[in-house]
Amino acid sequence: MPSVPTSLSAAVTSSTFDRAHAEHLQVFAALATLAPHAEAIGVVLAQALQAGRKIMWCGNGGSAADAQHLAAELTGRFIRNRIPLAGLALAADACSLTCVGNDFGFDAVFERQVLALGQPGDCLVALSTSGQSPNVLRAVEAARGKSITTIALTGRDGGALGPACDHQLVVPSHTTARIQEAHIFIGHLWCTLIEQHLGVGQ
């Protein structure tokens, strides 16, 4: 296979980088409109933890990775050395996912965990870039039936998920990668607000 000339390779890489970077900056500039609601949701999450409740996180694919990442920021630490906080990533248990998926279907993998583990006063953060994931929607329905506060973190137009939740943040983008980049930023903002609100650690 012939090699790509260095100058051409650099031009292609630079062009790709510039487009992705410009799109990222555009999306993040638009996030400013979500700031008041994003901060209010952070307080809701902090109050649930302060009351001894837990935050459950669910999503598929990259959203599952974000859910696991953010749950770990709570049980481990984010910025401050502090007591561990109750964060639970529902996509992290391979045995549960494969058992429920095999016996009841993939659409039930989060729903059954919410029914088994969720308690009134808990929070469920549902991540979906499209807002249309059936298993996430069913988890939200189960949570609402148990008086669990539901929070949607979506993109595009919010899909069916946004209106189904008590709170929603819709990232103003149709590009999955940009939406996910914004989701982890918002999740980190929530972790900051939780630590500030609880006044824990150093």
Side-chain angles (χ1 to χ4, degrees), residues 49 53-57 66-90 92 191 194-195 198 200:
L49 292 169
R53 309 317 307 162
K54 64 181 171 292
I55 301 173
M56 297 177 289
W57 308 76
D66 287 345
Q68 192 167 350
H69 176 158
L70 294 167
E73 302 285 26
L74 298 179
T75 56
R77 71 168 183 177
F78 181 55
I79 296 173
R80 303 184 179 192
N81 291 322
R82 48 147 169 86
I83 61 170
L85 300 171
L88 178 62
L90 301 183
C191 292
I194 286 167
E195 291 191 343
L198 297 182
V200 290

Side-chain angles (χ1 to χ4, degrees), residues 7 14 23 27-28 42-44 67 76-77 102 107 126 145 161 168-169 173 181 183 202:
S7 59
S14 175
E23 191 176 48
V27 170
F28 271 64
V43 173
V44 169
R77 71 168 183 177
N102 184 65
D107 288 356
L161 181 62
Q168 64 169 313
L169 284 179
S173 176
E181 289 158 11
H183 282 181
Q202 302 173 14

Side-chain angles (χ1 to χ4, degrees), residues 137-185:
L137 287 164
R138 282 179 57 168
V140 166
E141 183 179 359
R144 290 178 66 83
K146 298 195 71 172
S147 299
I148 293 167
T149 300
T150 53
I151 297 161
L153 198 50
T154 67
R156 298 181 174 87
D157 63 358
L161 181 62
C165 290
D166 299 309
H167 306 278
Q168 64 169 313
L169 284 179
V170 182
V171 174
S173 176
H174 284 76
T175 303
T176 298
R178 304 292 87 82
I179 297 167
Q180 290 174 335
E181 289 158 11
H183 282 181
I184 205 65
F185 171 83

